[in-house]
Amino acid sequence: MKKTFIILLLMLVASCQKSEKKKVQLRDRAAINKPQQHAIQTTLEQSTKKMMAAWKEYITVEDNLKKFRTISANEALNNAIQLRNNVQLMKDSIRPKELENPSFRTRLNVLENEALRLTDMTLIPAISANEINQQVDKIMEAFSATNSKINTIYSQLRVEREIQSETKKISGAQLPKSID
């Protein structure tokens, strides 16, 4: 009789633990399908956008990341491979010659690594929605840093052109003749 009672008690405890797991799984499913807001903090300046219009791979990544502004963790995982591929194409095809420098390549490497990390998350079955959303935020921050660097490079080029223009005006102007 005691053995039967102990067995029934163990079965009851085991079944209670399973229902707790089911509740946690149901909460996780709700969280993973709930859309979350993500923001790109730095966008391109208007004058810089004109310079970037010819770089189709950048435009593709930018359009792809617009989908990530309001996205659920589940959708983010579903779109991770496409984002990774687009970022790799962008990294491999730097079109504007002004952007071919080590500091810009570093920004692209960080963006690619963050996209690769999101892709890796698709293979982890126990990943939480919070972790996925944090990774999407990191991707947005990396893209913002890339935009900031692009803006800085083109601003620097504009200032250099203005200095050259002013220098030419000054050197090209005739000095007044001295009165003897």
Side-chain angles (χ1 to χ4, degrees), residues 109-122:
N109 286 337
V110 170
L111 179 60
E112 180 186 34
N113 288 338
E114 297 300 344
L116 287 169
R117 173 69 181 127
L118 183 64
T119 303
D120 289 345
M121 288 181 164
T122 62

Side-chain angles (χ1 to χ4, degrees), residues 41-60:
Q41 301 297 325
T42 306
T43 58
L44 292 180
E45 296 170 357
Q46 282 302 109
S47 58
T48 307
K49 281 185 181 181
K50 294 174 186 172
M51 306 295 272
M52 298 300 293
W55 192 13
K56 290 180 177 62
E57 292 81 5
Y58 173 85
I59 302 298
T60 303

Side-chain angles (χ1 to χ4, degrees), residues 63-75:
D63 290 342
N64 199 332
L65 285 176
K66 286 179 183 175
K67 298 176 194 173
F68 281 78
R69 288 185 176 168
T70 303
I71 196 167
S72 70
N74 191 31
E75 290 172 332

Side-chain angles (χ1 to χ4, degrees), residues 19-32:
S19 68
E20 286 297 318
K21 288 180 185 177
K22 287 180 184 177
K23 287 181 186 177
V24 171
Q25 286 177 346
L26 288 176
R27 273 188 263 139
D28 286 345
R29 283 188 195 149
I32 206 162

